[in-house]
Amino acid sequence: MKLHDTGVYLVNGVPQTSAPAGVTEADAKKGTIAYGILKAHNTGDSMQDLRMKFDSMTSHDITYVGIIQTARASGMTEFPLPYVMTNCHNSLCAVGGTINEDDHQFALSAAHKYGGIYVPPNMAVIHSYNREMMSGCGRMILGSDSHTRYGALGTMAVGEGGGELAKQLVGRTYDMSYPGVVAIYLTGKPAPGVGPHDVALALVAATYANGYVKNKVMEFVGPGVANLSADYRNGIDVMTTETTCWSSIWQTDDTTKEYFVQHGRPEAYKELKPADVAYYDGCIELDLSTVECMIALPMHPSYAYPIRELKANAKEILQAAQDQANRQLGGKVEMDLVGKICDDGRIYVDQGVVAGCSGGTYENICAVADIIKGKSCGNGEFKFSVYPDSMPTYLELVKNGAVADIVSAGGIFRECFCGPCFGAGDTPANGEFSIRHTTRNFPNREGSKPGEGQISAVALMDARSIAATAANGGYLTGASELTDVEYTVPDYHFEQGVYDKRVYNGWGHPEPDYALKFGPNIKDWPEQPALTDDLLVKIVSYITDPVTTTDELIPSGETSSFRSNPLRLAEFTLSRKDPAYVPNAKAVKALDEQRKAGELPAEVARVYDDLKKLGYAPDAANTNIGSAIFANKPGDGSAREQAASCQRVLGGAANFACEYATKRYRSNCINWGMLPFLVENPGALDNGDYVYLPGVRKALLEAADELDAVAVKPDGGLVKFTVKLGAMTDAERRILADGCLINYYKNN
């Protein structure tokens, strides 16, 4: 794999570093596939400052309630574009009676009232339904899940926080500067046993840490594309999120065309390819024949190694991964990976899972059946489960015998469910090691609770190598090690009647008088205050990890039942990372309540006295008091807006960071009225400090490059420093000034 240090021109399909005679870089940039799609969806006057509207949207059942509640509060009367609501996250993790099913009934009633598309529980995982039924060449889809990726089907898809979807529902636009575009130039053909997850993990390992494609578009081109099936391309594409890219797109061909014909939508196909000359801001050349069977060790998809290399250096690599994981866990509990090395040097794993939008595809599961047919995954500790990505896939696997082959070998065949990807379902025992073909292996994504002494570990692998390991009784095995497997891939026949009989499609037919069905745990968003002239915040959590994931900001699995109740969900904020955060944030919120009631708390009065030493004269009536966190690089991972909204409903007013891991998390902070400050000198801050930001509202609205800030230490010490807010649109500045997106729409 080669990552170019400079921009690259693709000339008649061949990469070169210099421009052809008479061609300018500016003109050649218009030759990418991405440029054409973005131009078609841009409603603004400039291609440098995009104002986009999407063709359709999608959400699952841990995000759609909050999005619809936000849009309702902002004046929405019907869905202005097709909106798919799937139920693939809460369907198996009910906690507290009927809470989850209440969310599903709310979504069905909303589909009736506003004209939406409702996919019942266990019918399909979110991205598989959208691939099958909503994708199309040249289209754009916005989803409230970070793995909203349909680029392999010619569809630019973007995963964002709920606020961005709410904007589309009230007729506004998705605003951003034109992104960089990086060519992923594929050659060669994968070796037998090497699957899409292997290619994806190799790409993530090469790009995540160095930020090569961060917030850019990955455009897959080159002769190697033709050597990949549609399922294989989809499997690579869905993992582009883990590189931190913004979106993805692939050149299309007869394989893409056949996919749409197969799914009864031939009109959704058109050829997409770069112009004869196209300029890319970067280029990754990847010979697919060089990719090996891979494993991504805990606790990130980028910690990837060839399985061959891991087995040859098991003690060294597992020790390093174990040490890194334990540093990340902060001493709460110890992960033991080295203990999985057996006396004979083999590595034993306790569980294998193939699931979701990345693992549960038709060809992946057919390959699993080919590998494990006639074998046994053993009657010891090792467990093996397979989750198909949709009921049409499930039906075809029943018809062709794959389900029988897997079950006969001791595997468990389950329903369509995303749980193993986010920490619900197939939770391993304490100390176990699980290998999964899912999208993520972030901390506790398998359901661990370090605060209660429970820890298990997840590594990511391709379905083929997981099946090979299962056939070997749980001893780690790469599929390329097998020499006796014939991969059959029976023809796929899509049965749309499965959806026609169960999915409610109300697009274009809203029923305004239809009553929304609320459950007792579905609550409106609490009101949020507008930004005052000055601001005082207290740092109530100080996180020095290299990166903080959204699973650490708000955990996933066990909290799913409370996603529609902002205040109850907020009780889990940072619970795995900093259990003191919630009580500390509540204490600061109580100080602001006292201030609003006309009483100046003694703690705040002391801070104001210290500030007067520098000549400041804080006006308590016009200075909100809020909480804040510092983290080096927060927001890696999910599009879940709750990572920000939970901080906000607890009184959060700002984040301080050296950088933000993704655009998604920063956008979520903005849409919930939390100032996303950047600091160049994090040493100026510490946990327990108050930070005074005089004139913050004026500086925000006037787009000042820097803002003055003063840290007031618990001992009365004062440290002056500056912060930045980075590039923002005028609308984003108004949202922050108004206090949140809902307030912004009420005021405008």
Side-chain angles (χ1 to χ4, degrees):
M1 193 182 311
K2 177 182 178 182
L3 279 63
H4 286 258
D5 294 331
T6 62
V8 167
Y9 290 87
L10 200 65
V11 182
N12 296 318
V14 179
Q16 61 183 54
T17 55
S18 58
V23 176
T24 66
E25 179 182 309
D27 285 339
K29 280 190 172 185
K30 300 176 182 178
T32 65
I33 303 170
Y35 183 90
I37 296 175
L38 293 173
K39 187 175 189 297
H41 290 81
N42 181 29
T43 65
D45 298 328
S46 167
M47 281 298 289
Q48 296 309 308
D49 297 303
L50 301 173
R51 304 288 181 265
M52 289 183 290
K53 289 196 173 183
F54 290 78
D55 296 294
S56 65
M57 299 200 313
T58 189
S59 297
H60 49 58
D61 47 349
I62 60 175
T63 56
Y64 59 56
V65 174
I67 291 164
I68 293 169
Q69 291 287 66
T70 300
R72 286 179 62 233
S74 303
M76 178 193 69
T77 56
E78 65 179 67
F79 294 156
L81 73 170
Y83 186 17
V84 174
M85 293 169 282
T86 65
N87 296 277
C88 48
H89 279 59
N90 277 354
S91 41
L92 279 188
C93 54
V95 177
T98 63
I99 292 173
N100 291 339
E101 188 62 16
D102 285 350
D103 288 349
H104 303 159
Q105 291 301 306
F106 174 88
L108 179 57
S109 67
H112 278 279
K113 185 176 183 68
Y114 301 119
I117 301 168
Y118 173 81
V119 183
N122 304 125
M123 184 60 57
V125 304
I126 177 172
H127 304 309
S128 297
Y129 182 86
N130 281 277
R131 288 172 189 154
E132 293 167 346
M133 302 300 293
M134 306 302 292
S135 62
C137 297
R139 296 181 188 175
M140 290 191 74
I141 296 177
L142 182 65
S144 57
D145 182 89
S146 56
H147 291 95
T148 307
R149 289 286 191 269
Y150 318 123
L153 299 172
T155 306
M156 285 188 72
V158 180
E160 275 286 0
E164 294 301 323
L165 278 79
K167 290 177 183 177
Q168 297 283 309
L169 290 179
V170 295
R172 305 298 178 102
T173 57
Y174 179 95
D175 303 339
M176 66 177 290
S177 298
Y178 187 82
V181 183
V182 175
I184 314 300
Y185 189 79
L186 301 180
T187 59
K189 182 179 181 179
V194 173
H197 224 35
D198 297 316
V199 178
L201 292 176
L203 278 168
V204 173
T207 58
Y208 172 78
N210 59 25
Y212 191 79
V213 295
K214 182 176 178 179
N215 292 332
K216 296 181 174 69
V217 177
M218 296 176 74
E219 185 159 308
F220 289 78
V221 295
V225 173
N227 295 326
L228 305 177
S229 69
D231 256 11
Y232 205 112
R233 298 176 196 182
N234 285 331
I236 297 171
D237 186 65
V238 73
M239 286 295 290
T240 58
T241 296
E242 302 312 316
T243 67
T244 70
C245 79
W246 174 72
S247 188
S248 64
I249 192 67
W250 292 55
Q251 66 186 47
T252 63
D253 55 18
D254 286 345
T255 298
T256 323
K257 182 177 182 178
E258 176 57 28
Y259 179 92
F260 287 115
V261 170
Q262 189 180 65
H263 288 80
R265 299 190 294 119
E267 74 287 350
Y269 174 76
K270 67 178 179 181
E271 185 182 36
L272 299 176
K273 63 179 182 179
D276 291 343
V277 179
Y279 177 81
Y280 294 89
D281 300 281
C283 178
I284 300 172
E285 294 189 53
L286 174 58
D287 180 352
L288 294 165
S289 68
T290 65
V291 178
E292 300 183 61
C293 293
M294 303 289 289
I295 181 170
L297 293 172
M299 296 182 290
H300 199 277
S302 65
Y303 301 158
Y305 298 85
I307 293 174
R308 170 195 53 79
E309 182 181 340
L310 172 62
K311 293 174 72 171
N313 303 278
K315 178 67 166 65
E316 177 186 352
I317 293 175
L318 289 181
Q319 183 69 60
Q322 175 178 303
D323 292 345
Q324 181 172 260
N326 287 330
R327 285 194 299 271
Q328 198 167 341
L329 290 165
K332 297 183 182 72
V333 64
E334 292 289 317
M335 181 182 292
D336 179 13
L337 294 175
V338 175
K340 297 300 176 182
I341 303 174
C342 303
D343 291 341
D344 59 7
R346 292 186 296 175
I347 301 170
Y348 184 76
V349 298
D350 303 280
Q351 180 191 61
V353 178
V354 174
C357 57
S358 63
T361 61
Y362 177 74
E363 288 184 9
N364 281 345
I365 296 177
C366 285
V368 167
D370 288 335
I371 290 169
I372 206 167
K373 182 178 181 179
K375 299 182 175 63
S376 169
C377 55
N379 58 4
E381 293 183 2
F382 182 80
K383 289 85 64 175
F384 182 46
S385 298
V386 176
Y387 297 72
D389 65 346
S390 73
M391 286 305 286
T393 296
Y394 196 160
L395 178 60
E396 192 66 12
L397 292 167
V398 169
K399 289 180 178 179
N400 70 25
V403 174
D405 291 337
I406 292 169
V407 172
S408 296
I412 305 299
F413 209 87
R414 300 191 183 275
E415 56 285 287
C416 313
F417 180 48
C418 297
C421 193
F422 70 93
D426 274 311
T427 301
N430 181 51
E432 288 194 338
F433 187 27
S434 175
I435 52 174
R436 302 186 174 202
H437 191 149
T438 56
T439 56
R440 289 209 169 116
N441 61 336
F442 285 177
N444 317 311
R445 274 257 168 171
E446 75 295 335
S448 295
K449 293 185 178 181
E452 298 177 21
Q454 199 276 339
I455 187 67
S456 46
V458 165
L460 300 183
M461 286 170 47
D462 188 81
R464 292 151 189 79
S465 293
I466 294 173
T469 300
N472 199 18
Y475 293 99
L476 188 69
T477 306
S480 59
E481 299 174 46
L482 307 179
T483 59
D484 59 344
V485 179
E486 180 183 355
Y487 293 102
T488 57
V489 193
D491 289 342
Y492 178 66
H493 305 93
F494 176 69
E495 178 51 68
Q496 186 173 323
V498 175
Y499 289 147
D500 293 341
K501 294 178 178 69
R502 289 290 296 127
V503 173
Y504 174 76
N505 189 340
W507 165 239
H509 305 284
E511 304 168 50
D513 295 331
Y514 201 98
L516 289 177
K517 190 168 185 178
F518 288 89
N521 209 50
I522 296 176
K523 304 295 184 183
D524 291 332
W525 291 108
E527 291 189 9
Q528 301 301 330
L531 181 64
T532 45
D533 294 339
D534 305 330
L535 180 65
L536 182 69
V537 296
K538 185 177 184 179
I539 306 294
V540 294
S541 186
Y542 192 91
I543 303 169
T544 58
D545 291 353
V547 66
T548 304
T549 71
T550 46
D551 283 302
E552 292 171 306
L553 293 167
I554 181 67
S556 48
E558 77 271 26
T559 67
S560 293
S561 292
F562 303 109
R563 296 295 172 143
S564 305
N565 188 329
L567 291 175
R568 289 192 69 182
L569 180 64
E571 294 290 330
F572 294 89
T573 312
L574 279 168
S575 58
R576 290 173 176 168
K577 194 68 189 172
D578 183 0
Y581 170 80
V582 171
N584 288 342
K586 286 182 175 180
V588 176
K589 186 176 176 63
L591 296 177
D592 197 50
E593 294 298 326
Q594 287 181 259
R595 178 195 68 83
K596 288 188 289 187
E599 177 186 348
L600 187 62
E603 182 177 338
V604 177
R606 189 269 302 167
V607 171
Y608 284 176
D609 286 341
D610 291 333
L611 287 168
K612 290 174 183 175
K613 299 173 187 175
L614 292 179
Y616 294 106
D619 178 3
N622 291 304
T623 305
N624 285 346
I625 304 170
S627 58
I629 67 169
F630 168 82
N632 278 322
K633 187 179 177 182
D636 182 26
S638 177
R640 291 195 307 269
E641 68 180 275
Q642 292 94 340
S645 65
C646 282
Q647 296 172 54
R648 184 61 167 159
V649 301
L650 290 171
N655 276 346
F656 295 88
C658 297
E659 65 174 298
Y660 290 87
T662 61
K663 175 190 177 298
R664 293 187 296 274
Y665 176 66
R666 183 174 180 270
S667 294
N668 288 338
C669 290
I670 292 169
N671 287 329
W672 280 105
M674 290 201 305
L675 294 153
F677 289 125
L678 292 165
V679 293
E680 294 182 356
N681 179 21
L685 295 172
D686 205 348
N687 206 21
D689 288 357
Y690 275 93
V691 179
Y692 180 59
L693 297 133
V696 63
R697 183 182 177 92
K698 182 174 184 292
L700 167 71
L701 293 175
E702 293 181 354
D705 291 334
E706 292 186 341
L707 294 79
D708 292 329
V710 183
V712 183
K713 304 294 182 179
D715 63 1
L718 300 165
V719 178
K720 297 183 72 172
F721 64 106
T722 59
V723 295
K724 296 181 178 180
L725 283 169
M728 287 186 186
T729 65
D730 290 341
E732 287 176 327
R733 294 181 184 281
R734 287 300 327 178
I735 290 167
L736 285 167
D738 289 345
C740 67
L741 185 66
I742 294 174
N743 293 355
Y744 171 73
Y745 286 137
K746 286 180 180 178
N747 296 339
N748 296 273

